[in-house]
Amino acid sequence: MKVSSETSALPNRDSASSRKSTMSRGLTVMFAIASGMSVANVYFAQPLLDTLAHDFSISRAVVGGVVTSTQVGCALALLLLVPLGDRVDRRRLMAWQLLALVGALIVVATAPSTPVLLAGMLAVGMLGTAMTQGLIAYAASAALPEEQGQVVGMVQGGVFIGLLLARVFAGGISDIAGWRGVYVSSAILMLAIALPLWRRLPALSRDPNALSYPRLIASMLTLLRQDKVLQVRGILALLMFADFNIFWSALVSPLSAPLIIFITLQSGPSGWRARSALWPPRAPGISPTVAMPNIRVPQHY
């Protein structure tokens, strides 16, 4: 097998074990916060679909294309942008991607038409995903081998919390400042974390033997073709992620129907209830099942 020679560069465990850890707990928390904020941008649109359909005169049957454009951006980021971390200085890459993400958020916030909105959402999906996955890989590379599991776990936890709380943030800000205010607020928050993140990101040495960009892209296809575990887990992840997005995208229209009349402020906190379902309260004598939130669906749906 030639997979090892064709895959992206992995941290050298021998050299990593001899160096001092650069991942303090505070820095790890900052990585988690930045990752959660980055991924949240990709999911702001889901509780806003009904409002976007009204403002841009988009049929509710096709307004899901707004979310689809962000997900296409996610896929493009994983295939084309994330591998750049093995070719260029990661610290500079994170800085440029963060600034580009702020620009994409401003494009969405000021979109005058549906094509501009979709293009902005595509860019937000690409750059939000590239930032998120890049920060996870950055944290793993900066951590010592014996602490990589803990560091990656904390950062990934921030990603999941940001993913779910995105709906709470979007719903709340939308009812206060409109849906455009959601993206303006997020752009300001991303700029606010840019400077402290830039100052604290550890400098990592580049691999002089890194593959060229075309070979780096081809190496992912080689791994996917030869690694059976990756194939199985990739399919499982695809199905779970598709189910997750179908549920949240389709939920907005029923909740905004006259029978229920959920405004975006009420639709958004559904994500917080989902977070509670992941970590239900464990009072003495109460099973986790009892603690799960009840979901009521109107009879005509």
Side-chain angles (χ1 to χ4, degrees), residues 27 30 91 190-201:
L27 182 57
M30 179 174 285
R91 192 163 176 264
M190 294 306 298
L191 279 177
I193 201 174
L195 185 58
L197 190 64
W198 169 259
R199 286 179 173 176
R200 298 200 60 186
L201 282 176

Side-chain angles (χ1 to χ4, degrees), residues 8-9 73-90 93-94 97 125-138 213 216-217 220:
S8 58
C74 290
L76 292 175
L78 293 172
L79 291 173
L80 304 176
L81 295 184
V82 175
L84 285 173
D86 288 341
R87 286 288 305 162
V88 302
D89 180 73
R90 290 188 179 183
L93 180 63
M94 291 294 102
Q97 287 180 345
M126 284 187 65
L127 295 162
T129 301
M131 276 291 298
T132 303
Q133 299 302 323
L135 285 168
I136 294 173
Y138 203 132
Y213 183 70
L216 202 58
I217 302 301
M220 296 190 296

Side-chain angles (χ1 to χ4, degrees), residues 147-167:
E147 63 183 13
Q148 283 179 350
Q150 179 184 4
V151 168
V152 172
M154 287 187 64
V155 177
Q156 189 68 56
V159 171
F160 280 109
I161 292 175
L163 186 151
L164 292 175
L165 296 190
R167 294 160 184 80

Side-chain angles (χ1 to χ4, degrees), residues 194-269:
L195 185 58
L197 190 64
W198 169 259
R199 286 179 173 176
R200 298 200 60 186
L201 282 176
L204 299 178
S205 59
R206 293 174 56 188
D207 184 0
N209 299 317
L211 300 174
S212 65
Y213 183 70
R215 291 182 64 194
L216 202 58
I217 302 301
S219 71
M220 296 190 296
L221 300 177
T222 302
L223 273 175
L224 183 61
R225 185 176 67 252
Q226 298 183 358
D227 194 322
K228 297 297 183 183
V229 174
L230 182 61
Q231 294 172 7
V232 172
R233 296 193 178 184
I235 292 174
L236 290 176
L238 182 149
L239 294 174
M240 289 189 292
F241 198 64
D243 182 66
F244 181 89
N245 280 283
I246 290 171
F247 174 78
W248 286 110
S249 298
L251 189 65
V252 177
S253 291
L255 290 181
S256 302
L259 181 64
I260 299 181
I261 318 178
F262 267 29
I263 58 177
T264 50
L265 179 60
Q266 295 168 305
S267 298

Side-chain angles (χ1 to χ4, degrees), residues 26-138:
L27 182 57
T28 304
V29 170
M30 179 174 285
F31 267 92
I33 293 173
S35 298
M37 291 173 60
S38 298
V39 76
N41 293 293
V42 182
Y43 297 93
F44 285 150
Q46 288 184 343
L48 306 175
L49 288 178
D50 194 67
T51 304
L52 292 172
H54 178 269
D55 283 9
F56 288 92
S57 300
I58 305 174
S59 167
R60 283 175 172 79
V62 298
V63 73
V66 174
V67 175
T68 300
S69 64
T70 63
Q71 299 306 309
V72 171
C74 290
L76 292 175
L78 293 172
L79 291 173
L80 304 176
L81 295 184
V82 175
L84 285 173
D86 288 341
R87 286 288 305 162
V88 302
D89 180 73
R90 290 188 179 183
R91 192 163 176 264
R92 291 180 180 274
L93 180 63
M94 291 294 102
W96 281 111
Q97 287 180 345
L98 194 153
L99 293 177
L101 176 57
V102 171
L105 290 169
I106 297 299
V107 169
V108 172
T110 58
S113 62
T114 301
V116 176
L117 176 70
L118 295 177
M121 289 294 184
L122 178 71
V124 167
M126 284 187 65
L127 295 162
T129 301
M131 276 291 298
T132 303
Q133 299 302 323
L135 285 168
I136 294 173
Y138 203 132

